[in-house]
Amino acid sequence: KNEVEQSPQNLTAQEGEFITINCSYSVGISALHWLQQHPGGGIVSLFMLSSGKKKHGRLIATINIQEKHSSLHITASHPRDSAVYICAVRNGSQGNLIFGKGTKLSVKP
Amino acid sequence: GAGVSQTPSNKVTEKGKYVELRCDPISGHTALYWYRQSLGQGPEFLIYFQGTGAADDSGLPNDRFFAVRPEGSVSTLKIQRTERGDSAVYLCASSPSGSLAEQYFGPGTRLTVT
């Protein structure tokens, strides 16, 4: 069983829809990251959070430490949001990240 | 300012050859990470540097893989006797410090072993 599990693996949405991507983890963490990866490989950090909720534009990330679960929400989705969204956790005091397999999002116009 | 850069962007090599992959982190970032991403998978941790020393090399798959960061800035990932299974995108990331700082990723080097 992977230490970081994401669902769904693939997601297709119509433009304007509200999107939720889920992440569950089984290890102790000091922080959780949501990352965006576009075709070609470039990875951009969207959020780093260790508690509660963060919002940036149309993106919202929440984390429940007790339940070891995080969600990434996209409001009013747009075709340019199409990418792979990756959840990654920072394991304890070390800096390296443990990644989920990613959720491939495709937003249709 | 400049982000993390990696060279080459693509590398094709024959099985058994030696390759070096370079990472230039953001200036002043003390922490540097190497990850490997196989097709359809999330990245996997390889090695983490804090300054010049490897703070954690537990992700290196075997002794054919080695990485250095002699002056605490540029890092080189070295792979000896490459195998087809080494084909992947090798990602480098840097951060201002190790533990709770955000990581900034480079564009990756796509390695193909034929």
Side-chain angles (χ1 to χ4, degrees):
Chain A
K1 188 180 188 300
N2 293 329
E3 292 166 303
V4 181
E5 297 274 2
Q6 285 185 239
S7 63
Q9 192 172 352
N10 289 281
L11 180 57
T12 300
Q14 286 298 127
E15 183 173 357
E17 285 185 3
F18 180 84
I19 288 162
T20 296
I21 300 171
N22 294 299
C23 175
S24 297
Y25 53 92
S26 58
V27 295
I29 70 168
S30 54
L32 182 144
H33 297 246
W34 280 103
L35 308 163
Q36 182 190 57
Q37 186 172 32
H38 281 284
I43 291 180
V44 174
S45 179
L46 299 174
F47 295 103
M48 181 177 72
L49 65 165
S50 55
S51 65
K53 175 179 173 178
K54 286 190 175 180
K55 184 176 189 294
H56 182 71
R58 295 181 294 107
L59 302 178
I60 303 167
T62 64
I63 187 169
N64 184 318
I65 296 295
Q66 287 73 31
E67 294 186 3
K68 295 189 174 181
H69 181 269
S70 176
S71 293
L72 175 69
H73 305 286
I74 305 175
T75 62
S77 59
H78 191 276
R80 64 174 175 267
D81 297 327
S82 298
V84 175
Y85 292 83
I86 303 173
C87 171
V89 300
R90 193 186 298 270
N91 188 357
S93 60
Q94 289 288 2
N96 60 283
L97 298 175
I98 304 170
F99 295 80
K101 291 186 177 182
T103 295
K104 185 175 181 179
L105 171 66
S106 178
V107 181
K108 305 294 185 185
Chain B
V4 178
S5 62
Q6 292 185 244
T7 54
S9 55
N10 281 282
K11 176 71 177 178
V12 180
T13 191
E14 292 180 349
K15 180 175 178 291
K17 299 290 188 184
Y18 168 84
V19 296
E20 290 189 352
L21 311 179
R22 177 186 168 110
C23 172
D24 281 84
I26 292 173
S27 178
H29 282 193
T30 59
L32 185 146
Y33 308 83
W34 282 101
Y35 300 96
R36 178 170 73 172
Q37 186 174 25
S38 300
L39 192 63
Q41 303 293 316
E44 293 178 310
F45 168 72
L46 295 177
I47 186 169
Y48 156 50
F49 287 91
Q50 185 63 252
T52 60
D56 182 354
D57 64 358
S58 62
L60 295 177
N62 52 59
D63 61 5
R64 295 187 297 105
F65 288 74
F66 189 70
V68 296
R69 195 186 185 199
E71 297 178 358
S73 178
V74 171
S75 176
T76 305
L77 178 66
K78 307 181 181 191
I79 310 174
Q80 298 177 320
R81 305 182 304 280
T82 52
E83 299 178 357
R84 292 194 180 89
D86 299 335
S87 297
V89 175
Y90 289 81
L91 294 163
C92 175
S94 71
S95 71
S97 62
S99 58
L100 288 180
E102 191 166 339
Q103 294 186 18
Y104 297 83
F105 286 81
T109 293
R110 181 175 298 276
L111 175 66
T112 303
V113 182
T114 62

